[in-house]
Amino acid sequence: MIERTYEATLYAPLFYSSSEGRSIRTQPTLSATALMHALGYRYFGLEKRYAERGDEATSPDYSHLVEQPYFVTDMRPVSVETDERTFRSTDYRSERHFTTNDKDVAERINGKKAVPNILETSGAAWQTIRNYVGIAPGSTFEFTIWSDDPLPDRPFFRMGVKQTGEFRAQERSLSTIVLNKFLLSEVYGLPDDLLTEAMKRSASFNRGNDPRLQHFVSVDPSFVRDRIVPEVV
């Protein structure tokens, strides 16, 4: 099993729905489930799913990741700016977007100010517009991958809403391992005693406000290599 750590640099704005609602906000730590898909599409022949219906659209099924011949950490923020912003309509028939630095407009979309009556009664899709707060180009992240076949020396991949985030990565020495609890427990089904041991072998545990945003931070690398990786790859 080949272990490699990379530093990934973002070259285009990334809008990634860490949490959803009228505002789509991107947390600095990017989920391993998203990275598994991004690298899988690019380098491991993972099949894309273009449309999901019914319960699949609201309750994502990640079971197809279990069969993949690789495993990744979360993308740990090294130097990240989370001030990239755009607004998009969410009408299923089309998608339009606009960008503004007008704070007053942003507060109305976020529900902090009343929407003007003329827009409430106009029939326009004002209420369906979402505020996307994303990550700016130039931000950098660290991730580690274990696989039978190595990635290229300078891997390139896309991720985020509409795959707009463009990353280029280069190898670096391992600094910190951040593991995603949702991936380990809900996708790979690791037993509770192993998850408890992972918590003990971590410097901290980030609980987040969504199961997919819970992270084991700074996990003992030897524990990951000896106990976690053999269970998932």
Side-chain angles (χ1 to χ4, degrees), residues 11-111:
Y11 283 86
L14 173 68
F15 297 99
Y16 174 79
S17 55
S18 302
S19 60
E20 296 193 25
R22 186 172 288 184
S23 289
I24 304 295
R25 295 189 177 276
T26 307
Q27 301 295 325
T29 300
L30 302 178
S31 171
T33 54
L35 183 59
M36 288 283 289
H37 285 92
L39 295 177
Y41 295 150
R42 179 74 176 172
Y43 296 109
F44 296 98
L46 183 63
E47 182 179 354
K48 290 187 177 182
R49 298 182 175 186
Y50 292 98
E52 294 180 332
R53 299 178 178 177
D55 292 341
E56 291 183 353
T58 56
S59 301
D61 178 11
Y62 298 120
S63 59
H64 54 284
L65 296 179
V66 175
E67 305 300 325
Q68 301 308 310
Y70 59 96
F71 173 70
V72 300
T73 66
D74 284 321
M75 293 181 73
R76 182 182 71 84
V78 177
S79 176
V80 173
E81 296 288 340
T82 56
D83 56 0
E84 197 72 22
R85 171 173 293 177
T86 189
F87 301 92
R88 300 183 183 188
S89 75
T90 56
D91 190 323
Y92 70 93
R93 295 166 298 184
S94 63
E95 180 174 272
R96 301 172 181 175
H97 61 88
F98 62 94
T99 302
T100 179
N101 291 321
D102 190 326
K103 185 178 179 181
D104 183 67
V105 171
E107 289 182 342
R108 292 183 189 279
I109 293 174
N110 286 329

